Amino acid sequence: MKNLALSLHNTARREGVVLDEHLATVCRLRDGKIASIETYLSDVPGTNAFFV
C-alpha cells in the first residue's frame, strides 16, 4: 500500500449552531509508516462558526 485516505461526515448541533461537514484525510506512507497527513474540510467557514 502506498497511501490511504479516510472520509468522514461530521454533524452536530449546539445552541442553534449546526455543524455539517465532510472531511477527507490523506495519509502518505513511506517505508510502511505514515510520513505525512493532510486533512481537507468541505466547509471551513461553517467549521469556524461552530468551534470559534
Side-chain angles (χ1 to χ4, degrees), residues 5-24:
L6 305 169
S7 175
L8 300 171
H9 182 204
N10 290 330
T11 60
R13 293 180 185 271
R14 178 182 44 82
E15 300 172 3
V17 182
V18 176
L19 176 69
D20 185 6
E21 67 176 353
H22 295 268
L23 288 88

Side-chain angles (χ1 to χ4, degrees), residues 14-15 17-19 21 41 43-52:
R14 178 182 44 82
E15 300 172 3
V17 182
V18 176
L19 176 69
E21 67 176 353
L41 303 173
D43 183 10
V44 174
T47 302
N48 283 336
F50 188 82
F51 288 106
V52 176

Side-chain angles (χ1 to χ4, degrees), residues 6 8 22-27 36-42 44:
L6 305 169
L8 300 171
H22 295 268
L23 288 88
T25 300
V26 178
C27 299
S36 67
I37 301 172
E38 299 172 11
T39 299
Y40 301 92
L41 303 173
S42 65
V44 174

